[in-house]
């Protein structure tokens, strides 16, 4: 089936000579199942669902009647099929080519029906589709718009942003509220529709105006003789409205203090044109008109927001469409009329909402809303800057295609129930769009590490001759992403160390390198197991105080073994003998960089915790010789333990399937672990992530349930990715322990330390006043 919605009535210049590169744009079309299309006046948005076949690394335990010296498990690479949503935005010059593609891929469906909607675009749709021998069926435009908006707000973190023209970072991405409802959607097309959205299928048009984008375009055309919408905005961006508008100071000679009106406030739009006998420039008239329309819409939006007591107000429609000049004037208007109480919010994927909604309407039998979806950075082109000052070439955007891909996640993702305030939780410690020094360093750092990642990827598939070619394609793709982010840091929403790591993982998966560190992890797990009993025995012989310190030191030493840190991978590559004891010697002596060890020890002298949730990090020495002896002590104290590990591979982090096998082998050697497993006091749960970092607002629903049911009162987060790059400032409603060894000199210096400095942060939530 193919579903169509419209309309976008902007105007772009089109170059019909550009040929469509179908493989790069219409990716995976051979497996496409269902289509939706939103044809506007200048841009077409296509949506389709496909199944993607990609390789995944699986581990399988060997028969454990075998000797302890035998390998722990075998690794196999298997094909897996996952669902993907594709959204493509392109100029109408390509519409016929696109419809040919659709028609070719609808051959196996019983009917060739296309659902269509939209005002001005409808005739164009009708003509195109009849020509292509496809039937047309209408779909409601507003329903599609709301469905699309709900979908992106729920599934794309940092979808919404505030636009700040004069700030260092022009796009300020907002953390998505766990409950997206209720909100106000101001859709500015030819006119203005104001829609209150209260639930998934509950919305109401509560108001509107005939003075909208069409008014700006129509009056602008009469005033300037400019027929193109984008050219009109271009004129406005160069204009000076004060030459045409009458300001408060033009009437009163300055501010009107008793009424609280500043002198620069517009008293009358176009007011000077009535009293001044001179020609006004097209630029100034366009700017004055833009202010007049935007202020009117802004005031209307504020009044409805106040009337319905709503603070989340999203703006969309072809009048907005990512144009800095309209986003700026709307933002200014909202700030003025609400005195800063309401922010004007815009959406990264605003142009796709109709197509997404039409697709969801047609796909209701598959119930896409019951799943969680994640943006695939490898196949998405990101938000481009269309600021005339920044990049004039992109204003025309002729012959370009924007793409968004969403992968269906195996696990449904929810908040960690122990977040103190899910609405204010921000996973990332540093926002690189706002920190230029850090941005330059980390982009350089990831580019520097690229050769090593490519080498590692090839080494993980030595038996496959084409691996070299695939690894080279990975290098090109990831390098291109890094270059894009240098020029447009906001391309994928927030730019953080986490997003750079995740983009790299997505690109590796794209070229079928599902787990480049699988063999390293296997080798390190096998080796570490041989020392497990020795470590446990040596700890047991110590006094209580010494034992606690040795266990913490072991946990920190284990955390040194991180192939994601170049300083460590260089050592591990050059010195295979580097082990647990050597790592302990590398650690900073106390007092540590962040040192709450004394408070932790005092707490341990008190009653045991009911249940500890431990987010684990690396394979090998880290998990086996660091984490297990530590949680063993907790179990002996009477604390239940939940070990949360990654659902899928990332760097040398231990995955849930690997951890199941490791725990089984350790339990065979250690009665404490064996008994805890048997009595269900030790549980292994996957966290729903395939990232070296940790977003506590997107965790496996099963994990959240386990945390709630067991009355978890201690959360331990280990490692640089999970406890430093993310969650360093996360506020939890229970006790927490965040610990890591800083294995990056630049970051250590920035935090006031040196490489291998230790962070040991023990936090107790402040009790609310009684």
């Amino acid at each position: 089936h193919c579903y169509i919605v419209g309309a976008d009535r902007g105007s772009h210049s089109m170059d019909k000579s550009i040929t469509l590169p179908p493989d790069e744009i219409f990716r995976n079309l051979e497996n496409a199942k269902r289509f939706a299309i939103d044809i506007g006046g200048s841009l077409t948005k296509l949506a389709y669902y496909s199944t993607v076949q990609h390789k995944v690394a699986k581990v399988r335990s060997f028969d454990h009647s075998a000797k302890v010296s035998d390998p722990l498990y075998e690794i196999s690479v298997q094909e897996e099929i996952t669902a993907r949503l594709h959204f493509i935005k392109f100029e109408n010059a390509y519409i016929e080519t696109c419809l040919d593609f659709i028609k070719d891929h609808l051959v196996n469906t019983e009917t060739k029906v296309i659902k269509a909607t939209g005002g001005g675009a409808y005739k164009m749709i009708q003509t195109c589709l009849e020509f292509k021998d496809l039937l047309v069926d209408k779909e409601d435009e507003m329903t599609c718009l709301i469905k699309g908006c709900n979908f992106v707000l729920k599934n794309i973190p940092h979808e919404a942003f505030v636009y700040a023209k004069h700030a260092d970072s022009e796009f300020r991405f907002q953390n998505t509220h766990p409950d997206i409802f209720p909100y106000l959607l101001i859709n500015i097309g030819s006119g203005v529709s104001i829609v209150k959205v209260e639930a998934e299928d509950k919305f109401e048009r509560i108001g509107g105006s005939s003075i909208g984008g069409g008014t700006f375009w129509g009056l602008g055309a009469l005033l300037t003789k400019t027929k193109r919408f984008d050219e009109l905005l271009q004129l406005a961006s160069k204009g000076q409205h004060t030459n045409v508008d009458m300001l408060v100071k033009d009437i009163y000679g300055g501010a009107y203090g008793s009424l609280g009106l500043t002198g620069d406030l517009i008293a009358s739009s176009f007011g000077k044109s009535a009293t001044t006998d001179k020609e006004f420039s097209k630029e100034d008239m366009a700017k004055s008109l833009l202010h007049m329309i935007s202020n009117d819409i802004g005031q209307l939006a504020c009044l409805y927001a106040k009337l319905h007591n709503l603070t989340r107000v999203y703006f969309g429609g072809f009048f907005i469409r990512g144009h800095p000049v309209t986003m700026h004037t709307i933002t200014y208007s909202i700030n003025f009329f609400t005195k800063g109480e309401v922010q004007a919010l815009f959406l990264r994927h605003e142009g796709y909402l109709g197509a997404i909604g039409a697709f969801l309407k047609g796909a209701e039998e598959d119930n896409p809303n019951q799943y969680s979806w994640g943006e695939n950075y490898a196949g998405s082109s990101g938000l481009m800057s269309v600021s005339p000052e920044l990049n004039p070439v992109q204003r025309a955007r002729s012959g370009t295609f924007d793409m968004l891909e969403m992968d269906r996640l195996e696990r449904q993702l929810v908040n960690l129930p122990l977040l103190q305030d899910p609405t204010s939780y921000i996973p990332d410690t540093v926002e690189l769009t706002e920190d230029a020094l850090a941005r330059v360093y980390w982009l350089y750092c990831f580019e520097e590490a690229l050769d090593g990642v490519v080498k590692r990827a090839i080494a993980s598939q030595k038996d496959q001759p084409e691996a070299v070619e695939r690894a080279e394609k990975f290098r090109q793709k990831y390098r291109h992403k890094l270059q894009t982010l240098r020029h447009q840091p906001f391309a994928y929403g927030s730019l953080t160390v986490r997003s750079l790591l995740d983009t790299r993982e997505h690109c590796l998966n794209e070229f079928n390198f599902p787990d480049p560190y699988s063999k390293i992890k296997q080798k390190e797990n096998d080796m570490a197991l041989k020392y497990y009993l020795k470590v446990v025995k040596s700890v047991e012989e110590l006094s209580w105080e010494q034992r606690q310190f040795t266990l913490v030191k072991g946990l920190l030493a284990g955390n040194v073994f991180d192939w994601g840190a170049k300083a460590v991978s260089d050592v591990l590559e050059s010195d295979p003998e580097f082990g647990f004891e050597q790592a302990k010697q590398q650690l900073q002596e106390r007092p540590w960089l962040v040192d709450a060890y004394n408070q932790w020890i005092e707490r341990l002298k008190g009653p045991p915790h009911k249940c500890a949730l431990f987010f684990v990090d690396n394979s090998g020495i880290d998990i086996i010789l660091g984490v297990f002896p530590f949680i063993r002590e907790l179990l002996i104290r009477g604390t239940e333990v939940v070990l949360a590990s990654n659902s899928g591979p990332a760097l040398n982090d231990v995955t849930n399937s690997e951890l199941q096998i490791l725990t089984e082998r350790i339990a065979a050697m250690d009665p404490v672990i064996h008994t805890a497993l048997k009595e269900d006091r030790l549980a292994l749960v996957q966290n729903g992530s395939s990232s070296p970092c940790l977003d506590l607002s997107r965790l496996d629903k099963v994990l959240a349930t386990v945390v709630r049911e067991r009355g978890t009162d201690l959360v331990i987060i280990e490692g640089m990715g999970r406890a430093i790059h993310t969650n360093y400032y996360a506020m939890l409603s229970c006790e927490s322990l965040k610990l890591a060894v800083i294995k990056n000199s630049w970051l250590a210096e920035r935090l006031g330390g040196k490489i291998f400095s230790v962070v040991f942060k023990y936090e107790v939530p402040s009790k609310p006043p009684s």
Side-chain angles (χ1 to χ4, degrees):
H1 281 69
C2 183
Y3 304 88
I4 295 202
V5 62
D8 148 35
R9 302 175 193 87
S11 177
H12 279 269
S13 57
M14 293 186 283
D15 177 358
K16 293 183 192 289
S17 66
I18 293 171
T19 54
L20 195 71
D23 292 347
E24 284 180 41
I25 306 301
F26 297 101
R27 284 159 41 99
N28 206 44
L29 203 59
E30 66 279 7
N31 296 321
K33 292 276 163 61
R34 185 179 279 112
F35 293 84
I37 192 166
D38 167 355
I39 305 177
S42 65
L43 293 177
T44 297
K45 281 79 72 178
L46 174 71
Y48 61 95
Y49 166 98
S50 79
T51 48
V52 183
Q53 203 163 10
H54 60 100
K55 289 183 166 55
V56 291
K58 295 278 187 189
V59 294
R60 193 167 65 86
S61 181
F62 283 119
D63 175 15
H64 283 157
S65 56
K67 294 191 292 292
V68 174
S69 58
D70 290 344
L72 188 61
Y73 52 79
E74 63 176 337
I75 306 159
S76 62
V77 173
Q78 297 170 16
E79 294 283 342
E80 201 168 77
I81 292 173
T82 53
R84 179 173 284 174
L85 299 181
H86 304 254
F87 305 104
I88 303 156
K89 186 164 57 177
F90 53 90
E91 293 165 7
N92 289 347
Y94 303 111
I95 185 66
E96 290 193 14
T97 324
C98 167
L99 290 171
D100 280 333
F101 278 126
I102 293 172
K103 191 179 172 190
D104 291 347
H105 290 88
L106 282 174
V107 287
N108 298 325
T109 58
E110 291 169 26
T111 56
K112 294 186 180 180
V113 177
I114 293 183
K115 293 194 175 185
T117 187
Y122 186 65
K123 283 179 188 170
M124 183 181 175
I125 297 169
Q126 193 85 26
T127 310
C128 285
L129 299 184
E130 283 172 359
F131 172 70
K132 297 292 173 195
D133 191 28
L134 297 165
L135 301 171
V136 179
D137 194 6
K138 277 191 180 182
E139 196 60 77
D140 179 66
E141 189 171 359
M142 193 53 75
T143 305
C144 291
L145 200 63
I146 302 299
K147 271 192 175 296
C149 194
N150 293 342
F151 182 82
V152 294
L153 286 173
K154 275 195 298 194
N155 289 289
I156 304 181
H158 309 125
E159 171 63 27
F161 62 89
V162 170
Y163 183 74
K165 184 182 180 181
H166 301 296
D168 290 342
S169 169
E170 65 179 314
F171 297 86
R172 287 189 183 156
F173 293 93
Q174 305 298 295
N175 223 37
T176 306
H177 194 289
D179 183 7
I180 63 167
F181 306 111
Y183 65 84
L184 208 57
L185 178 64
I186 317 289
N187 193 50
I188 315 170
S190 299
V192 179
S193 282
I194 297 174
V195 185
K196 180 185 180 182
V197 185
E198 293 181 272
E200 193 60 55
D201 293 307
K202 189 183 178 188
F203 66 88
E204 177 191 0
R205 186 184 188 275
I206 54 173
S209 170
S210 60
I211 300 170
T215 317
F216 173 69
W217 197 353
L219 272 177
L222 291 172
L223 288 167
T224 68
K225 305 291 182 273
T226 301
K227 293 290 184 187
R228 290 184 182 278
F229 183 79
D230 283 6
E231 282 176 23
L232 201 55
L233 283 178
Q234 187 83 326
L235 286 174
S237 70
K238 295 172 187 166
Q240 185 56 261
H241 75 98
T242 53
N243 293 335
V244 184
D245 292 344
M246 191 174 286
L247 308 182
V248 168
K249 66 183 177 188
D250 295 324
I251 303 171
Y252 299 106
Y256 195 148
S258 61
L259 292 181
L261 303 176
T262 63
D264 290 326
L265 207 61
I266 300 172
S268 172
S269 294
F270 289 93
K272 285 180 182 169
S273 59
T275 55
T276 311
D277 189 19
K278 68 165 192 175
E279 287 288 311
F280 295 99
S281 75
K282 290 180 179 182
E283 287 84 356
D284 293 349
M285 288 191 290
K287 187 59 169 276
S288 175
L289 182 62
L290 181 67
H291 276 293
M292 185 177 88
I293 305 283
S294 298
N295 287 340
D296 187 61
I297 294 168
Q299 187 168 32
L300 203 56
C302 292
L303 291 170
Y304 276 106
K306 277 183 179 173
L307 187 64
H308 293 269
N309 198 24
L310 295 170
T311 53
R312 277 172 283 181
V313 182
Y314 298 103
F315 288 85
F318 86 83
F319 182 69
I320 302 292
R321 213 175 67 205
H323 291 293
V325 65
T326 55
M327 290 193 297
H328 175 64
T329 50
I330 288 285
T331 299
Y332 178 85
S333 170
I334 291 284
N335 278 344
F336 176 79
F337 288 115
T338 69
K339 296 183 171 62
E341 284 176 22
V342 174
Q343 286 186 312
L345 294 168
F346 305 97
L347 301 170
R348 267 176 70 205
H349 299 103
E350 186 272 324
Y352 294 110
L353 301 186
I356 293 172
F359 175 83
L360 293 171
K361 283 283 287 176
E364 277 169 348
E365 71 225 45
D366 291 338
N367 197 4
N369 274 324
Q370 76 180 3
Y371 301 101
S372 290
W373 299 79
E375 184 173 0
N376 173 31
Y377 295 133
S380 298
S381 50
L383 179 73
M384 299 296 168
S385 171
V386 286
S387 166
E389 303 88 46
L390 284 180
N391 202 335
V393 179
Q394 285 184 343
R395 289 301 296 157
R397 300 180 71 171
S398 179
T400 61
F401 293 78
D402 284 350
M403 288 167 285
L404 164 66
E405 287 184 0
M406 302 283 289
D407 284 341
R408 191 171 84 192
L409 307 175
E410 283 177 47
R411 325 288 299 178
Q412 208 173 346
L413 304 182
V414 297
N415 270 312
L416 176 70
L418 298 169
L419 282 173
Q420 204 171 72
D421 177 14
T423 62
S424 63
Y425 168 69
I426 296 169
D428 303 285
T429 306
V430 179
E431 171 52 71
L432 299 179
T433 59
E434 293 170 14
D435 188 333
L437 268 179
R439 179 170 74 244
V440 168
Y441 171 74
W442 286 112
L443 287 170
Y444 163 79
C445 190
F446 277 87
E447 188 142 13
E448 276 290 283
L450 198 46
D451 285 347
V453 178
V454 168
K455 199 170 122 191
R456 179 66 45 216
I458 295 167
S460 72
Q461 297 182 5
K462 279 181 185 157
D463 52 337
Q464 298 183 31
E466 86 294 351
V468 176
E469 190 187 332
R470 280 187 286 115
E472 198 45 51
K473 284 181 178 172
F474 153 74
R475 183 206 302 273
Q476 287 166 11
K477 182 142 213 171
Y478 189 56
R479 181 169 281 152
H480 175 69
K481 296 281 176 195
L482 292 175
Q483 284 163 354
T484 299
L485 290 165
R486 264 199 189 93
H487 301 297
Q488 286 156 188
F490 46 77
Y492 296 99
S494 261
L495 177 62
T496 61
V497 172
R498 173 169 65 108
S499 68
L500 290 170
L501 285 162
D502 290 351
T503 304
R504 190 169 71 185
E505 293 298 325
H506 291 186
C507 292
L508 281 166
N509 280 318
E510 182 77 12
F511 296 103
N512 277 324
F513 293 106
D515 192 356
Y517 290 86
S518 56
K519 291 186 172 71
I520 287 176
K521 288 189 288 181
Q522 184 186 35
K523 184 178 153 197
E524 290 186 348
N525 286 332
D526 281 338
M527 185 197 72
L529 273 171
K530 292 170 185 161
Y531 295 96
Y532 175 74
L533 285 178
K534 186 184 169 191
V535 168
V536 166
K537 215 172 192 133
S538 69
V539 166
E540 281 179 332
E541 289 164 0
L542 301 170
S543 68
W544 186 85
E545 290 261 359
Q546 283 180 311
R547 188 160 74 246
Q548 304 317 311
F549 185 66
T550 304
L551 288 167
V552 165
K553 205 170 172 188
L555 199 50
L556 292 165
N559 195 244
V560 168
F561 292 85
D562 179 357
W563 281 84
K566 195 170 185 302
V568 176
S569 59
D570 287 350
V571 171
L572 297 175
E573 293 266 18
S574 59
D575 181 7
E577 297 304 305
F578 185 83
F580 194 42
E581 293 309 315
Q582 288 91 325
K584 283 183 188 175
Q585 287 157 25
Q586 293 281 354
L587 295 178
Q588 174 192 16
E589 292 291 321
R590 287 194 68 201
W592 295 322
L593 184 61
V594 176
D595 194 334
Y597 179 75
N598 293 346
Q599 293 92 311
W600 170 245
I601 284 301
E602 282 309 305
R603 172 62 187 89
L604 287 186
K605 289 174 184 172
H609 295 89
K610 188 175 187 311
C611 176
L613 167 64
F614 197 131
F615 288 100
V616 299
D617 191 6
N618 308 300
S619 287
I621 288 176
D622 189 356
I623 185 75
I624 296 164
L625 304 185
V627 174
F628 265 98
F630 185 88
I631 62 143
R632 185 179 187 274
E633 182 76 6
L634 290 177
L635 290 164
I636 292 167
R637 269 173 65 79
T639 300
E640 289 182 19
V641 175
V642 176
L643 291 180
S645 53
N646 271 8
S647 300
L651 295 171
N652 65 316
D653 293 359
V654 68
T655 63
N656 186 257
S657 51
E658 289 160 353
L659 188 55
Q660 300 277 356
I661 297 168
L662 287 178
T663 309
E664 199 181 303
R665 179 61 73 93
I666 289 169
M669 295 189 269
D670 183 348
V672 173
I673 301 298
H674 177 80
T675 308
L677 273 177
K678 197 174 161 188
E679 294 173 354
D680 195 32
R681 290 189 304 108
L682 172 60
L684 312 178
V685 188
Q686 50 184 304
N687 62 19
S689 166
S690 300
S691 168
C693 296
L694 182 64
D695 180 352
L696 296 174
S697 67
R698 283 171 72 80
L699 289 179
D700 193 322
K701 197 175 181 178
V702 175
L703 176 59
T705 306
V706 169
V707 163
R708 214 179 273 112
E709 285 174 353
R710 290 187 181 240
T712 303
D713 54 356
L714 172 65
V715 173
I716 304 168
I717 306 177
E718 180 212 8
M720 251 172 69
R722 292 172 182 80
I724 305 287
H725 293 312
T726 51
N727 300 304
Y728 190 72
Y729 298 117
M731 304 290 284
L732 300 175
S733 59
C734 68
E735 292 171 52
S736 65
L737 201 51
K738 298 168 190 171
L739 52 112
V741 177
I742 312 224
K743 293 149 291 201
N744 174 289
S745 312
W746 183 88
L747 182 62
E749 278 172 34
R750 207 170 212 229
L751 293 171
K754 294 176 180 166
I755 194 154
F756 298 118
S757 285
V758 169
V759 169
F760 190 89
K761 203 177 185 192
Y762 169 60
E763 293 171 308
V764 181
S766 52
K767 287 187 170 65
S770 51

